[in-house]
Amino acid sequence: MTNTAKETETKGVSTLLGDPKKAVLKLSIPMIIAMTINSLYALIDAVWVAGLGDTALAAIGFVNPIFLVVMGFSNGLGAGATAIISRYIGAKDKKQADNAAIHVLLLAGILTIIFTVILLLFLKPILEAIGAGSTIELSFEYGRILFLGTIFIVFSSTAYGILRAEGNVSKTTYAMGFGAVLNMVLDPIFIYTLNLGVTGAAIATVISLFCVSLLLLYWFAKDTYIKFSIKDFVYNNTLVKQILGVGLPAGGEFLIIATLSASINIILIIVAGVDGVAAYTAGWRVVMMAMVPPIAIAVSIVAVVGANFGGKKYENIKIIHNYGIKIGLITVILMSIAIFLLAPYISYIFAYSPESAGLRDTITAFLRVTCLFYISLPIGMSSSSIFQGVGKGLDSMFLTLIRLLILEVVFAYILAIPLGLGQYGVWWGIVIASLFGSLIAYGWSKRYINKLTHEHGKLKKV
Protein backbone atom coordinates (compact mmCIF):
# COMPACT_ATOMS: atom_id res chain seq x y z
CA MET A 1 0.00 0.00 0.00
CA THR A 2 1.31 3.48 -0.84
CA ASN A 3 1.74 6.11 1.87
CA THR A 4 -1.06 8.12 0.33
CA ALA A 5 -3.45 5.20 0.61
CA LYS A 6 -2.45 4.59 4.24
CA GLU A 7 -3.02 8.21 5.17
CA THR A 8 -6.42 8.49 3.50
CA GLU A 9 -7.89 5.05 4.17
CA THR A 10 -11.38 5.51 5.58
CA LYS A 11 -13.55 3.41 7.86
CA GLY A 12 -15.50 2.24 4.81
CA VAL A 13 -12.35 1.03 3.05
CA SER A 14 -11.23 -0.79 6.21
CA THR A 15 -14.63 -2.52 6.36
CA LEU A 16 -14.41 -3.46 2.69
CA LEU A 17 -11.01 -5.10 3.17
CA GLY A 18 -11.91 -6.86 6.43
CA ASP A 19 -14.07 -9.88 7.32
CA PRO A 20 -16.28 -10.58 4.26
CA LYS A 21 -19.43 -11.44 6.25
CA LYS A 22 -19.15 -8.30 8.35
CA ALA A 23 -18.45 -6.28 5.22
CA VAL A 24 -21.62 -7.53 3.47
CA LEU A 25 -23.72 -6.90 6.59
CA LYS A 26 -22.25 -3.47 7.37
CA LEU A 27 -22.68 -2.31 3.78
CA SER A 28 -26.15 -3.86 3.40
CA ILE A 29 -27.87 -2.37 6.47
CA PRO A 30 -27.39 1.32 5.52
CA MET A 31 -28.26 0.46 1.91
CA ILE A 32 -31.48 -1.24 3.05
CA ILE A 33 -32.41 1.86 5.06
CA ALA A 34 -31.64 4.20 2.13
CA MET A 35 -33.42 2.09 -0.46
CA THR A 36 -36.42 1.55 1.83
CA ILE A 37 -36.79 5.31 2.16
CA ASN A 38 -36.43 5.62 -1.61
CA SER A 39 -39.02 2.90 -2.23
CA LEU A 40 -41.28 4.50 0.36
CA TYR A 41 -41.06 7.67 -1.70
CA ALA A 42 -42.07 5.72 -4.84
CA LEU A 43 -44.95 4.25 -2.86
CA ILE A 44 -46.12 7.63 -1.56
CA ASP A 45 -45.68 9.14 -5.02
CA ALA A 46 -48.06 6.50 -6.37
CA VAL A 47 -50.49 7.22 -3.53
CA TRP A 48 -50.58 10.94 -4.35
CA VAL A 49 -51.01 10.24 -8.08
CA ALA A 50 -53.72 7.64 -7.34
CA GLY A 51 -55.82 10.51 -6.01
CA LEU A 52 -55.96 11.82 -9.59
CA GLY A 53 -57.61 8.58 -10.77
CA ASP A 54 -56.61 5.27 -12.36
CA THR A 55 -55.81 6.90 -15.74
CA ALA A 56 -53.11 9.08 -14.13
CA LEU A 57 -51.71 6.05 -12.30
CA ALA A 58 -51.62 4.04 -15.53
CA ALA A 59 -49.97 6.98 -17.35
CA ILE A 60 -47.05 6.89 -14.94
CA GLY A 61 -46.98 3.12 -15.36
CA PHE A 62 -46.28 3.57 -19.08
CA VAL A 63 -43.43 6.02 -18.40
CA ASN A 64 -41.87 3.61 -15.89
CA PRO A 65 -40.25 1.29 -18.49
CA ILE A 66 -38.52 4.28 -20.14
CA PHE A 67 -37.44 5.64 -16.76
CA LEU A 68 -36.08 2.19 -15.93
CA VAL A 69 -33.87 2.30 -19.01
CA VAL A 70 -32.38 5.68 -18.00
CA MET A 71 -32.04 4.66 -14.37
CA GLY A 72 -30.78 1.25 -15.42
CA PHE A 73 -27.85 2.43 -17.51
CA SER A 74 -27.06 5.05 -14.86
CA ASN A 75 -27.06 2.38 -12.15
CA GLY A 76 -25.15 0.14 -14.55
CA LEU A 77 -22.43 2.74 -14.85
CA GLY A 78 -22.52 3.00 -11.05
CA ALA A 79 -22.12 -0.79 -10.81
CA GLY A 80 -19.14 -0.56 -13.18
CA ALA A 81 -17.66 2.10 -10.91
CA THR A 82 -18.24 -0.04 -7.82
CA ALA A 83 -16.69 -3.17 -9.35
CA ILE A 84 -13.61 -1.51 -10.87
CA ILE A 85 -12.80 1.06 -8.16
CA SER A 86 -13.28 -1.47 -5.32
CA ARG A 87 -10.97 -3.85 -7.17
CA TYR A 88 -8.20 -1.22 -7.22
CA ILE A 89 -8.86 -0.44 -3.57
CA GLY A 90 -8.51 -4.16 -2.82
CA ALA A 91 -5.23 -4.17 -4.75
CA LYS A 92 -4.18 -1.07 -2.69
CA ASP A 93 -3.75 1.11 -5.78
CA LYS A 94 -5.43 4.39 -4.77
CA LYS A 95 -4.03 6.43 -7.66
CA GLN A 96 -5.66 4.13 -10.22
CA ALA A 97 -8.88 4.06 -8.18
CA ASP A 98 -9.05 7.89 -8.35
CA ASN A 99 -8.27 7.81 -12.06
CA ALA A 100 -11.05 5.26 -12.64
CA ALA A 101 -13.52 7.55 -10.82
CA ILE A 102 -12.80 10.42 -13.23
CA HIS A 103 -13.31 8.07 -16.18
CA VAL A 104 -16.72 7.18 -14.68
CA LEU A 105 -17.71 10.86 -14.55
CA LEU A 106 -16.71 11.39 -18.19
CA LEU A 107 -18.78 8.38 -19.23
CA ALA A 108 -21.70 9.74 -17.15
CA GLY A 109 -21.55 12.99 -19.13
CA ILE A 110 -21.68 11.13 -22.44
CA LEU A 111 -24.59 8.97 -21.23
CA THR A 112 -26.51 12.08 -20.13
CA ILE A 113 -26.20 13.71 -23.56
CA ILE A 114 -27.32 10.56 -25.39
CA PHE A 115 -30.43 9.97 -23.25
CA THR A 116 -31.48 13.62 -23.08
CA VAL A 117 -31.38 14.07 -26.86
CA ILE A 118 -33.15 10.77 -27.64
CA LEU A 119 -35.93 11.23 -25.08
CA LEU A 120 -36.66 14.86 -25.85
CA LEU A 121 -36.98 14.05 -29.56
CA PHE A 122 -38.69 10.64 -29.51
CA LEU A 123 -40.59 10.32 -26.22
CA LYS A 124 -44.10 10.36 -27.72
CA PRO A 125 -43.37 7.74 -30.45
CA ILE A 126 -41.79 5.51 -27.79
CA LEU A 127 -44.88 5.83 -25.59
CA GLU A 128 -47.09 4.97 -28.54
CA ALA A 129 -44.95 1.92 -29.31
CA ILE A 130 -45.31 0.52 -25.79
CA GLY A 131 -49.10 0.86 -25.80
CA ALA A 132 -49.83 4.06 -23.85
CA GLY A 133 -52.99 4.50 -25.95
CA SER A 134 -55.62 6.64 -24.21
CA THR A 135 -53.13 7.71 -21.53
CA ILE A 136 -50.50 9.01 -23.97
CA GLU A 137 -51.02 12.74 -23.37
CA LEU A 138 -50.76 12.35 -19.60
CA SER A 139 -47.78 10.00 -20.02
CA PHE A 140 -46.02 12.48 -22.33
CA GLU A 141 -46.75 15.37 -19.97
CA TYR A 142 -45.17 13.48 -17.06
CA GLY A 143 -42.21 12.01 -18.98
CA ARG A 144 -41.22 15.23 -20.78
CA ILE A 145 -40.56 17.03 -17.49
CA LEU A 146 -39.01 14.00 -15.78
CA PHE A 147 -36.42 13.43 -18.50
CA LEU A 148 -35.33 17.07 -18.51
CA GLY A 149 -33.65 16.01 -15.26
CA THR A 150 -31.69 13.16 -16.87
CA ILE A 151 -28.37 14.77 -15.89
CA PHE A 152 -29.31 14.51 -12.19
CA ILE A 153 -30.54 10.91 -12.58
CA VAL A 154 -27.26 9.83 -14.20
CA PHE A 155 -24.93 11.77 -11.91
CA SER A 156 -26.55 10.68 -8.63
CA SER A 157 -26.61 7.01 -9.66
CA THR A 158 -22.95 6.96 -10.72
CA ALA A 159 -21.93 8.92 -7.62
CA TYR A 160 -23.63 6.30 -5.43
CA GLY A 161 -21.59 3.64 -7.24
CA ILE A 162 -18.33 5.46 -6.47
CA LEU A 163 -19.28 5.86 -2.80
CA ARG A 164 -20.17 2.16 -2.55
CA ALA A 165 -16.81 1.26 -4.07
CA GLU A 166 -15.04 2.83 -1.10
CA GLY A 167 -17.48 1.28 1.38
CA ASN A 168 -18.98 4.70 2.10
CA VAL A 169 -22.60 3.60 2.29
CA SER A 170 -23.49 6.04 5.09
CA LYS A 171 -23.29 9.00 2.72
CA THR A 172 -25.24 7.04 0.11
CA THR A 173 -27.91 6.44 2.76
CA TYR A 174 -28.08 10.10 3.76
CA ALA A 175 -28.27 11.32 0.15
CA MET A 176 -30.96 8.84 -0.92
CA GLY A 177 -32.94 9.48 2.25
CA PHE A 178 -32.70 13.24 1.83
CA GLY A 179 -33.90 13.03 -1.78
CA ALA A 180 -36.80 10.73 -0.93
CA VAL A 181 -38.03 12.82 2.00
CA LEU A 182 -37.75 16.03 -0.03
CA ASN A 183 -39.75 14.42 -2.82
CA MET A 184 -42.45 13.29 -0.40
CA VAL A 185 -42.80 16.87 0.86
CA LEU A 186 -42.82 18.44 -2.61
CA ASP A 187 -45.27 15.97 -4.22
CA PRO A 188 -48.54 17.18 -2.63
CA ILE A 189 -47.46 20.81 -3.04
CA PHE A 190 -46.89 20.53 -6.79
CA ILE A 191 -49.63 17.96 -7.53
CA TYR A 192 -52.49 19.48 -5.51
CA THR A 193 -51.63 22.85 -3.95
CA LEU A 194 -50.29 24.23 -7.25
CA ASN A 195 -52.79 22.05 -9.14
CA LEU A 196 -50.19 20.71 -11.62
CA GLY A 197 -51.31 17.06 -11.53
CA VAL A 198 -48.88 14.50 -12.96
CA THR A 199 -46.65 17.33 -14.23
CA GLY A 200 -46.25 18.41 -10.60
CA ALA A 201 -45.12 14.89 -9.63
CA ALA A 202 -42.41 15.05 -12.30
CA ILE A 203 -41.26 18.55 -11.25
CA ALA A 204 -40.99 17.41 -7.61
CA THR A 205 -38.79 14.48 -8.66
CA VAL A 206 -36.46 16.64 -10.76
CA ILE A 207 -36.04 19.25 -7.99
CA SER A 208 -35.25 16.49 -5.47
CA LEU A 209 -32.64 14.92 -7.75
CA PHE A 210 -31.04 18.33 -8.33
CA CYS A 211 -30.68 18.93 -4.59
CA VAL A 212 -29.23 15.45 -4.06
CA SER A 213 -26.66 16.07 -6.81
CA LEU A 214 -25.53 19.28 -5.12
CA LEU A 215 -25.12 17.44 -1.81
CA LEU A 216 -23.04 14.68 -3.45
CA LEU A 217 -20.78 17.22 -5.17
CA TYR A 218 -20.20 18.93 -1.81
CA TRP A 219 -19.17 15.64 -0.18
CA PHE A 220 -16.79 14.66 -2.98
CA ALA A 221 -15.11 18.05 -2.61
CA LYS A 222 -14.69 17.60 1.15
CA ASP A 223 -14.19 14.18 2.75
CA THR A 224 -14.35 11.07 0.58
CA TYR A 225 -11.58 8.51 0.03
CA ILE A 226 -11.87 8.85 -3.74
CA LYS A 227 -10.66 12.22 -5.02
CA PHE A 228 -11.32 13.79 -8.43
CA SER A 229 -7.98 15.32 -9.35
CA ILE A 230 -7.86 16.50 -12.96
CA LYS A 231 -4.10 17.05 -12.79
CA ASP A 232 -3.62 13.34 -12.03
CA PHE A 233 -6.03 12.24 -14.75
CA VAL A 234 -4.53 9.98 -17.40
CA TYR A 235 -6.90 8.64 -20.05
CA ASN A 236 -6.75 4.86 -20.12
CA ASN A 237 -8.68 2.91 -22.74
CA THR A 238 -8.37 -0.26 -20.67
CA LEU A 239 -10.10 1.46 -17.75
CA VAL A 240 -12.96 2.54 -20.01
CA LYS A 241 -13.34 -1.03 -21.26
CA GLN A 242 -13.30 -2.39 -17.70
CA ILE A 243 -15.95 0.07 -16.51
CA LEU A 244 -18.17 -0.51 -19.54
CA GLY A 245 -17.52 -4.27 -19.32
CA VAL A 246 -19.59 -4.23 -16.14
CA GLY A 247 -21.60 -1.03 -16.71
CA LEU A 248 -23.12 -1.81 -20.11
CA PRO A 249 -24.29 -5.33 -19.22
CA ALA A 250 -25.60 -4.05 -15.87
CA GLY A 251 -27.44 -1.29 -17.75
CA GLY A 252 -28.61 -3.93 -20.20
CA GLU A 253 -30.17 -5.76 -17.27
CA PHE A 254 -32.35 -2.73 -16.57
CA LEU A 255 -33.19 -2.53 -20.27
CA ILE A 256 -34.35 -6.12 -19.93
CA ILE A 257 -36.42 -5.13 -16.86
CA ALA A 258 -37.89 -2.18 -18.79
CA THR A 259 -38.75 -4.43 -21.73
CA LEU A 260 -40.33 -6.86 -19.28
CA SER A 261 -42.37 -4.04 -17.72
CA ALA A 262 -43.58 -2.86 -21.13
CA SER A 263 -44.40 -6.44 -22.16
CA ILE A 264 -46.36 -7.06 -18.96
CA ASN A 265 -48.27 -3.80 -19.52
CA ILE A 266 -49.18 -4.90 -23.05
CA ILE A 267 -50.41 -8.32 -21.86
CA LEU A 268 -52.41 -6.64 -19.07
CA ILE A 269 -54.01 -4.20 -21.54
CA ILE A 270 -55.12 -7.21 -23.60
CA VAL A 271 -56.59 -9.19 -20.69
CA ALA A 272 -57.66 -6.50 -18.19
CA GLY A 273 -57.49 -3.05 -19.81
CA VAL A 274 -56.26 0.17 -18.19
CA ASP A 275 -57.47 -1.01 -14.76
CA GLY A 276 -55.13 -4.01 -14.99
CA VAL A 277 -52.14 -1.74 -15.66
CA ALA A 278 -53.18 0.63 -12.87
CA ALA A 279 -53.49 -2.22 -10.33
CA TYR A 280 -50.14 -3.65 -11.42
CA THR A 281 -48.47 -0.21 -11.25
CA ALA A 282 -49.78 0.39 -7.71
CA GLY A 283 -49.06 -3.12 -6.44
CA TRP A 284 -45.59 -3.18 -7.95
CA ARG A 285 -44.61 -0.19 -5.78
CA VAL A 286 -45.15 -2.47 -2.77
CA VAL A 287 -43.22 -5.27 -4.47
CA MET A 288 -40.34 -2.85 -5.02
CA MET A 289 -40.27 -2.13 -1.28
CA ALA A 290 -40.14 -5.83 -0.48
CA MET A 291 -37.32 -6.24 -3.01
CA VAL A 292 -35.16 -3.68 -1.20
CA PRO A 293 -33.29 -6.08 1.17
CA PRO A 294 -32.16 -8.56 -1.53
CA ILE A 295 -31.27 -5.70 -3.89
CA ALA A 296 -29.28 -3.88 -1.18
CA ILE A 297 -27.46 -7.09 -0.27
CA ALA A 298 -26.72 -7.78 -3.94
CA VAL A 299 -25.36 -4.25 -4.46
CA SER A 300 -23.13 -4.65 -1.38
CA ILE A 301 -21.90 -8.01 -2.65
CA VAL A 302 -20.57 -6.33 -5.81
CA ALA A 303 -18.26 -4.06 -3.77
CA VAL A 304 -17.12 -6.76 -1.33
CA VAL A 305 -16.51 -9.33 -4.08
CA GLY A 306 -14.67 -6.70 -6.13
CA ALA A 307 -12.34 -5.87 -3.23
CA ASN A 308 -11.65 -9.55 -2.47
CA PHE A 309 -11.16 -10.38 -6.15
CA GLY A 310 -8.72 -7.47 -6.49
CA GLY A 311 -6.87 -8.68 -3.39
CA LYS A 312 -6.83 -12.25 -4.77
CA LYS A 313 -8.79 -13.57 -1.76
CA TYR A 314 -10.85 -15.88 -3.97
CA GLU A 315 -11.83 -18.23 -1.14
CA ASN A 316 -13.87 -15.40 0.42
CA ILE A 317 -16.16 -15.17 -2.63
CA LYS A 318 -17.93 -18.43 -1.71
CA ILE A 319 -18.45 -17.14 1.84
CA ILE A 320 -19.88 -13.87 0.50
CA HIS A 321 -22.25 -15.69 -1.87
CA ASN A 322 -23.66 -18.06 0.76
CA TYR A 323 -23.96 -15.38 3.43
CA GLY A 324 -25.71 -12.96 1.08
CA ILE A 325 -28.33 -15.57 0.19
CA LYS A 326 -28.82 -16.52 3.85
CA ILE A 327 -29.52 -13.04 5.21
CA GLY A 328 -31.57 -12.21 2.11
CA LEU A 329 -33.86 -15.20 2.61
CA ILE A 330 -34.46 -14.35 6.27
CA THR A 331 -35.54 -10.81 5.44
CA VAL A 332 -37.81 -11.64 2.48
CA ILE A 333 -39.61 -14.45 4.30
CA LEU A 334 -40.52 -12.06 7.12
CA MET A 335 -41.52 -9.43 4.54
CA SER A 336 -43.72 -11.91 2.65
CA ILE A 337 -45.64 -12.90 5.77
CA ALA A 338 -46.23 -9.26 6.74
CA ILE A 339 -47.44 -8.22 3.26
CA PHE A 340 -49.77 -11.23 2.95
CA LEU A 341 -51.45 -10.38 6.25
CA LEU A 342 -51.62 -6.63 5.62
CA ALA A 343 -52.55 -6.76 1.90
CA PRO A 344 -56.18 -5.50 2.31
CA TYR A 345 -54.99 -2.50 4.32
CA ILE A 346 -52.10 -1.72 1.97
CA SER A 347 -54.40 -1.83 -1.06
CA TYR A 348 -56.65 0.78 0.55
CA ILE A 349 -53.93 3.47 0.39
CA PHE A 350 -53.93 3.15 -3.42
CA ALA A 351 -57.70 3.06 -3.71
CA TYR A 352 -58.87 5.68 -1.24
CA SER A 353 -60.52 7.97 -3.79
CA PRO A 354 -63.86 7.28 -5.53
CA GLU A 355 -62.00 7.21 -8.87
CA SER A 356 -59.73 4.33 -7.81
CA ALA A 357 -61.85 2.45 -5.23
CA GLY A 358 -62.66 -0.30 -7.75
CA LEU A 359 -59.02 -1.40 -7.78
CA ARG A 360 -58.94 -2.36 -4.09
CA ASP A 361 -59.74 -6.09 -4.36
CA THR A 362 -57.50 -6.55 -7.40
CA ILE A 363 -54.51 -4.93 -5.68
CA THR A 364 -55.08 -7.09 -2.59
CA ALA A 365 -55.06 -10.26 -4.70
CA PHE A 366 -51.94 -9.11 -6.58
CA LEU A 367 -50.05 -8.47 -3.33
CA ARG A 368 -50.90 -11.91 -1.96
CA VAL A 369 -49.85 -13.79 -5.09
CA THR A 370 -46.56 -11.91 -5.40
CA CYS A 371 -45.59 -12.75 -1.80
CA LEU A 372 -44.21 -15.98 -3.24
CA PHE A 373 -42.15 -14.00 -5.76
CA TYR A 374 -39.89 -12.56 -3.05
CA ILE A 375 -38.61 -15.92 -1.82
CA SER A 376 -36.47 -16.60 -4.91
CA LEU A 377 -35.01 -13.09 -5.19
CA PRO A 378 -32.00 -13.42 -2.82
CA ILE A 379 -30.85 -16.56 -4.64
CA GLY A 380 -30.95 -15.01 -8.11
CA MET A 381 -29.74 -11.50 -7.22
CA SER A 382 -26.85 -12.56 -4.99
CA SER A 383 -25.71 -15.04 -7.63
CA SER A 384 -25.77 -12.45 -10.43
CA SER A 385 -23.85 -9.96 -8.27
CA ILE A 386 -20.91 -12.34 -8.00
CA PHE A 387 -20.33 -11.95 -11.74
CA GLN A 388 -20.58 -8.14 -11.58
CA GLY A 389 -18.05 -8.06 -8.74
CA VAL A 390 -15.44 -10.01 -10.70
CA GLY A 391 -16.02 -8.01 -13.88
CA LYS A 392 -18.01 -10.64 -15.80
CA GLY A 393 -20.94 -8.35 -16.55
CA LEU A 394 -22.14 -10.31 -19.57
CA ASP A 395 -22.74 -13.41 -17.46
CA SER A 396 -24.87 -11.37 -15.05
CA MET A 397 -26.84 -9.82 -17.91
CA PHE A 398 -27.43 -13.20 -19.55
CA LEU A 399 -28.80 -14.61 -16.30
CA THR A 400 -31.14 -11.63 -15.98
CA LEU A 401 -32.23 -12.12 -19.60
CA ILE A 402 -33.16 -15.74 -18.87
CA ARG A 403 -34.83 -15.01 -15.53
CA LEU A 404 -36.83 -11.95 -16.49
CA LEU A 405 -37.36 -11.40 -20.17
CA ILE A 406 -37.50 -14.95 -21.48
CA LEU A 407 -39.09 -16.90 -18.62
CA GLU A 408 -41.36 -14.21 -17.14
CA VAL A 409 -42.81 -12.99 -20.43
CA VAL A 410 -43.32 -16.54 -21.69
CA PHE A 411 -44.97 -17.78 -18.48
CA ALA A 412 -47.06 -14.61 -18.09
CA TYR A 413 -48.30 -14.81 -21.69
CA ILE A 414 -49.10 -18.54 -21.62
CA LEU A 415 -50.94 -18.42 -18.30
CA ALA A 416 -52.80 -15.18 -19.09
CA ILE A 417 -53.93 -15.70 -22.67
CA PRO A 418 -53.78 -19.32 -24.00
CA LEU A 419 -54.73 -20.76 -20.58
CA GLY A 420 -57.24 -17.95 -19.98
CA LEU A 421 -56.22 -16.94 -16.45
CA GLY A 422 -56.18 -13.23 -17.32
CA GLN A 423 -54.25 -10.88 -15.05
CA TYR A 424 -53.94 -13.63 -12.42
CA GLY A 425 -52.00 -15.62 -15.01
CA VAL A 426 -49.60 -12.68 -15.43
CA TRP A 427 -48.95 -12.54 -11.70
CA TRP A 428 -48.41 -16.30 -11.35
CA GLY A 429 -46.19 -16.28 -14.43
CA ILE A 430 -43.88 -13.76 -12.72
CA VAL A 431 -43.70 -15.94 -9.59
CA ILE A 432 -42.96 -19.21 -11.38
CA ALA A 433 -40.42 -17.69 -13.79
CA SER A 434 -38.49 -16.02 -10.96
CA LEU A 435 -38.11 -19.35 -9.16
CA PHE A 436 -36.74 -21.20 -12.20
CA GLY A 437 -34.50 -18.30 -13.22
CA SER A 438 -33.02 -17.92 -9.75
CA LEU A 439 -32.15 -21.61 -9.57
CA ILE A 440 -30.36 -21.35 -12.92
CA ALA A 441 -28.39 -18.32 -11.65
CA TYR A 442 -27.46 -20.15 -8.44
CA GLY A 443 -26.11 -23.18 -10.30
CA TRP A 444 -24.17 -21.00 -12.74
CA SER A 445 -22.53 -18.92 -10.00
CA LYS A 446 -21.64 -21.94 -7.84
CA ARG A 447 -19.93 -23.54 -10.83
CA TYR A 448 -17.90 -20.38 -11.46
CA ILE A 449 -16.90 -19.93 -7.78
CA ASN A 450 -15.80 -23.58 -7.49
CA LYS A 451 -13.75 -23.27 -10.67
CA LEU A 452 -12.13 -20.02 -9.49
CA THR A 453 -11.13 -21.35 -6.05
CA HIS A 454 -9.93 -24.66 -7.52
CA GLU A 455 -7.64 -22.96 -10.04
CA HIS A 456 -6.30 -20.55 -7.39
CA GLY A 457 -5.65 -23.49 -5.06
CA LYS A 458 -3.58 -25.21 -7.74
CA LEU A 459 -1.57 -22.02 -8.35
CA LYS A 460 -0.79 -21.63 -4.63
CA LYS A 461 0.54 -25.20 -4.49
CA VAL A 462 2.81 -24.47 -7.45
Side-chain angles (χ1 to χ4, degrees), residues 209-449:
L209 288 168
F210 169 71
C211 293
V212 166
S213 297
L214 288 180
L215 179 62
L216 290 166
L217 284 171
Y218 171 78
W219 279 335
F220 278 118
K222 291 290 182 181
D223 60 346
T224 54
Y225 177 77
I226 293 295
K227 301 298 179 186
F228 301 115
S229 177
I230 299 300
K231 64 183 177 65
D232 294 330
F233 172 66
V234 179
Y235 178 77
N236 187 320
N237 199 45
T238 301
L239 267 179
V240 172
K241 287 181 180 178
Q242 288 178 335
I243 294 165
L244 293 180
V246 175
L248 287 179
E253 291 185 33
F254 279 86
L255 180 59
I256 290 166
I257 294 170
T259 305
L260 168 68
S261 180
S263 301
I264 294 296
N265 281 344
I266 290 169
I267 296 171
L268 286 170
I269 282 289
I270 294 170
V271 299
V274 170
D275 282 356
V277 176
Y280 174 76
T281 300
W284 198 255
R285 299 297 174 105
V286 180
V287 173
M288 285 172 64
M289 283 200 68
M291 289 170 66
V292 162
I295 291 174
I297 292 165
V299 168
S300 301
I301 284 173
V302 174
V304 182
V305 167
N308 281 275
F309 188 76
K312 301 189 185 302
K313 299 177 183 177
Y314 302 133
E315 64 280 358
N316 283 346
I317 296 177
K318 183 176 182 179
I319 296 171
I320 296 164
H321 184 220
N322 291 337
Y323 187 70
I325 292 174
K326 178 183 175 181
I327 60 175
L329 282 172
I330 292 170
T331 54
V332 296
I333 288 171
L334 293 174
M335 192 80 72
S336 296
I337 294 170
I339 291 175
F340 186 88
L341 295 174
L342 297 174
Y345 308 101
I346 296 171
S347 64
Y348 183 81
I349 67 175
F350 295 104
Y352 59 89
S353 69
E355 293 82 2
S356 56
L359 298 176
R360 201 172 301 156
D361 291 342
T362 305
I363 296 172
T364 299
F366 172 84
L367 293 175
R368 286 184 162 165
V369 170
T370 50
C371 280
L372 297 172
F373 167 73
Y374 312 136
I375 308 301
S376 60
L377 291 179
I379 301 169
M381 289 182 176
S382 295
S383 298
S384 294
S385 291
I386 297 295
F387 292 108
Q388 287 187 356
V390 301
K392 296 174 75 68
L394 285 174
D395 290 67
S396 178
M397 186 182 76
F398 187 65
L399 289 171
T400 302
L401 178 68
I402 293 172
R403 184 166 59 92
L404 298 183
L405 193 56
I406 296 175
L407 292 178
E408 286 198 17
V409 171
V410 168
F411 275 104
Y413 174 80
I414 291 173
L415 292 175
I417 298 177
L419 295 183
L421 296 179
Q423 58 188 332
Y424 283 83
V426 174
W427 308 339
W428 279 107
I430 292 171
V431 172
I432 295 168
S434 180
L435 174 61
F436 280 109
S438 294
L439 291 176
I440 292 169
Y442 179 78
W444 197 316
S445 61
K446 291 295 285 187
R447 180 175 176 273
Y448 170 76
I449 294 168

